[in-house]
mmCIF file of all heavy atoms in Angstrom:
data_model
loop_
_atom_site.group_PDB
_atom_site.id
_atom_site.type_symbol
_atom_site.label_atom_id
_atom_site.label_comp_id
_atom_site.label_asym_id
_atom_site.label_seq_id
_atom_site.Cartn_x
_atom_site.Cartn_y
_atom_site.Cartn_z
ATOM 1 N N VAL A 43 13.167 27.641 2.017
ATOM 2 C CA VAL A 43 13.992 28.422 2.938
ATOM 3 C C VAL A 43 14.748 27.468 3.852
ATOM 4 O O VAL A 43 14.145 26.735 4.632
ATOM 5 C CB VAL A 43 13.121 29.376 3.786
ATOM 6 C CG1 VAL A 43 13.992 30.226 4.702
ATOM 7 C CG2 VAL A 43 12.253 30.255 2.898
ATOM 8 N N TYR A 44 16.083 27.483 3.741
ATOM 9 C CA TYR A 44 16.934 26.692 4.640
ATOM 10 C C TYR A 44 17.159 27.535 5.885
ATOM 11 O O TYR A 44 17.634 28.665 5.808
ATOM 12 C CB TYR A 44 18.257 26.357 3.942
ATOM 13 C CG TYR A 44 19.232 25.611 4.818
ATOM 14 C CD1 TYR A 44 18.952 24.321 5.237
ATOM 15 C CD2 TYR A 44 20.420 26.193 5.227
ATOM 16 C CE1 TYR A 44 19.841 23.623 6.036
ATOM 17 C CE2 TYR A 44 21.313 25.507 6.021
ATOM 18 C CZ TYR A 44 21.018 24.215 6.425
ATOM 19 O OH TYR A 44 21.897 23.531 7.215
ATOM 20 N N GLN A 45 16.792 26.997 7.062
ATOM 21 C CA GLN A 45 16.858 27.754 8.307
ATOM 22 C C GLN A 45 17.822 27.136 9.316
ATOM 23 O O GLN A 45 17.663 27.329 10.507
ATOM 24 C CB GLN A 45 15.452 27.874 8.907
ATOM 25 C CG GLN A 45 14.498 28.604 7.989
ATOM 26 C CD GLN A 45 13.093 28.686 8.534
ATOM 27 O OE1 GLN A 45 12.548 27.718 9.045
ATOM 28 N NE2 GLN A 45 12.494 29.860 8.414
ATOM 29 N N GLY A 46 18.803 26.394 8.851
ATOM 30 C CA GLY A 46 19.772 25.787 9.755
ATOM 31 C C GLY A 46 19.255 24.489 10.335
ATOM 32 O O GLY A 46 19.502 23.418 9.797
ATOM 33 N N GLU A 47 18.499 24.557 11.421
ATOM 34 C CA GLU A 47 17.991 23.344 12.073
ATOM 35 C C GLU A 47 16.800 22.735 11.346
ATOM 36 O O GLU A 47 16.425 21.598 11.594
ATOM 37 C CB GLU A 47 17.623 23.625 13.535
ATOM 38 C CG GLU A 47 16.333 24.387 13.762
ATOM 39 C CD GLU A 47 16.386 25.886 13.462
ATOM 40 O OE1 GLU A 47 17.490 26.436 13.290
ATOM 41 O OE2 GLU A 47 15.310 26.507 13.397
ATOM 42 N N SER A 48 16.188 23.498 10.436
ATOM 43 C CA SER A 48 15.066 22.983 9.657
ATOM 44 C C SER A 48 15.002 23.709 8.319
ATOM 45 O O SER A 48 15.698 24.697 8.094
ATOM 46 C CB SER A 48 13.744 23.164 10.421
ATOM 47 O OG SER A 48 13.445 24.537 10.578
ATOM 48 N N SER A 49 14.144 23.185 7.451
ATOM 49 C CA SER A 49 13.891 23.806 6.149
ATOM 50 C C SER A 49 12.391 24.007 6.027
ATOM 51 O O SER A 49 11.599 23.213 6.536
ATOM 52 C CB SER A 49 14.371 22.902 5.014
ATOM 53 O OG SER A 49 15.751 22.693 5.104
ATOM 54 N N LEU A 50 12.005 25.079 5.347
ATOM 55 C CA LEU A 50 10.599 25.395 5.156
ATOM 56 C C LEU A 50 10.327 25.464 3.659
ATOM 57 O O LEU A 50 11.000 26.205 2.935
ATOM 58 C CB LEU A 50 10.273 26.725 5.830
ATOM 59 C CG LEU A 50 8.833 27.173 5.864
ATOM 60 C CD1 LEU A 50 7.947 26.146 6.566
ATOM 61 C CD2 LEU A 50 8.723 28.516 6.580
ATOM 62 N N LEU A 51 9.373 24.658 3.213
ATOM 63 C CA LEU A 51 9.006 24.602 1.801
ATOM 64 C C LEU A 51 7.602 25.162 1.630
ATOM 65 O O LEU A 51 6.674 24.733 2.323
ATOM 66 C CB LEU A 51 9.031 23.149 1.306
ATOM 67 C CG LEU A 51 8.489 22.940 -0.097
ATOM 68 C CD1 LEU A 51 9.522 23.356 -1.129
ATOM 69 C CD2 LEU A 51 8.072 21.503 -0.313
ATOM 70 N N TYR A 52 7.465 26.124 0.744
ATOM 71 C CA TYR A 52 6.149 26.635 0.348
ATOM 72 C C TYR A 52 5.872 26.089 -1.036
ATOM 73 O O TYR A 52 6.720 26.183 -1.923
ATOM 74 C CB TYR A 52 6.137 28.167 0.301
ATOM 75 C CG TYR A 52 6.330 28.821 1.643
ATOM 76 C CD1 TYR A 52 7.585 29.251 2.044
ATOM 77 C CD2 TYR A 52 5.256 29.017 2.501
ATOM 78 C CE1 TYR A 52 7.776 29.857 3.277
ATOM 79 C CE2 TYR A 52 5.433 29.620 3.736
ATOM 80 C CZ TYR A 52 6.698 30.043 4.110
ATOM 81 O OH TYR A 52 6.875 30.639 5.326
ATOM 82 N N ALA A 53 4.687 25.513 -1.215
ATOM 83 C CA ALA A 53 4.324 24.943 -2.503
ATOM 84 C C ALA A 53 2.899 25.353 -2.861
ATOM 85 O O ALA A 53 2.082 25.634 -1.982
ATOM 86 C CB ALA A 53 4.427 23.419 -2.468
ATOM 87 N N ILE A 54 2.636 25.366 -4.153
ATOM 88 C CA ILE A 54 1.295 25.649 -4.678
ATOM 89 C C ILE A 54 0.741 24.352 -5.231
ATOM 90 O O ILE A 54 1.369 23.700 -6.067
ATOM 91 C CB ILE A 54 1.342 26.718 -5.789
ATOM 92 C CG1 ILE A 54 2.051 27.991 -5.319
ATOM 93 C CG2 ILE A 54 -0.062 27.019 -6.308
ATOM 94 C CD1 ILE A 54 1.360 28.728 -4.210
ATOM 95 N N LEU A 55 -0.444 23.958 -4.742
ATOM 96 C CA LEU A 55 -1.109 22.749 -5.215
ATOM 97 C C LEU A 55 -1.858 23.051 -6.504
ATOM 98 O O LEU A 55 -2.105 24.214 -6.839
ATOM 99 C CB LEU A 55 -2.054 22.227 -4.134
ATOM 100 C CG LEU A 55 -1.410 21.896 -2.782
ATOM 101 C CD1 LEU A 55 -2.470 21.411 -1.794
ATOM 102 C CD2 LEU A 55 -0.299 20.887 -2.934
ATOM 103 N N PRO A 56 -2.261 22.008 -7.260
ATOM 104 C CA PRO A 56 -2.943 22.229 -8.543
ATOM 105 C C PRO A 56 -4.188 23.114 -8.451
ATOM 106 O O PRO A 56 -4.489 23.849 -9.375
ATOM 107 C CB PRO A 56 -3.315 20.818 -9.005
ATOM 108 C CG PRO A 56 -2.275 19.942 -8.381
ATOM 109 C CD PRO A 56 -1.997 20.586 -7.034
ATOM 110 N N GLY A 57 -4.899 23.097 -7.329
ATOM 111 C CA GLY A 57 -6.096 23.924 -7.161
ATOM 112 C C GLY A 57 -5.794 25.355 -6.759
ATOM 113 O O GLY A 57 -6.694 26.157 -6.555
ATOM 114 N N GLY A 58 -4.491 25.694 -6.617
ATOM 115 C CA GLY A 58 -4.106 27.054 -6.258
ATOM 116 C C GLY A 58 -3.856 27.263 -4.766
ATOM 117 O O GLY A 58 -3.410 28.328 -4.355
ATOM 118 N N GLN A 59 -4.144 26.245 -3.933
ATOM 119 C CA GLN A 59 -3.909 26.366 -2.504
ATOM 120 C C GLN A 59 -2.407 26.374 -2.224
ATOM 121 O O GLN A 59 -1.648 25.665 -2.861
ATOM 122 C CB GLN A 59 -4.532 25.205 -1.706
ATOM 123 C CG GLN A 59 -5.991 24.985 -1.939
ATOM 124 C CD GLN A 59 -6.275 23.974 -3.052
ATOM 125 O OE1 GLN A 59 -5.474 23.754 -3.949
ATOM 126 N NE2 GLN A 59 -7.450 23.388 -3.005
ATOM 127 N N GLU A 60 -2.003 27.177 -1.242
ATOM 128 C CA GLU A 60 -0.602 27.215 -0.838
ATOM 129 C C GLU A 60 -0.439 26.403 0.443
ATOM 130 O O GLU A 60 -1.267 26.492 1.350
ATOM 131 C CB GLU A 60 -0.158 28.653 -0.584
ATOM 132 C CG GLU A 60 1.313 28.754 -0.225
ATOM 133 C CD GLU A 60 1.799 30.186 -0.108
ATOM 134 O OE1 GLU A 60 1.387 31.029 -0.925
ATOM 135 O OE2 GLU A 60 2.593 30.460 0.809
ATOM 136 N N ILE A 61 0.610 25.596 0.493
ATOM 137 C CA ILE A 61 0.914 24.836 1.701
ATOM 138 C C ILE A 61 2.338 25.155 2.135
ATOM 139 O O ILE A 61 3.165 25.590 1.331
ATOM 140 C CB ILE A 61 0.745 23.310 1.506
ATOM 141 C CG1 ILE A 61 1.703 22.787 0.431
ATOM 142 C CG2 ILE A 61 -0.692 22.954 1.188
ATOM 143 C CD1 ILE A 61 1.777 21.275 0.361
#
Side-chain angles (χ1 to χ4, degrees):
V43 182
Y44 177 67
Q45 299 178 316
E47 75 285 347
S48 65
S49 298
L50 186 58
L51 172 78
Y52 294 96
I54 306 295
L55 302 179
Q59 305 92 335
E60 183 174 320
I61 61 169

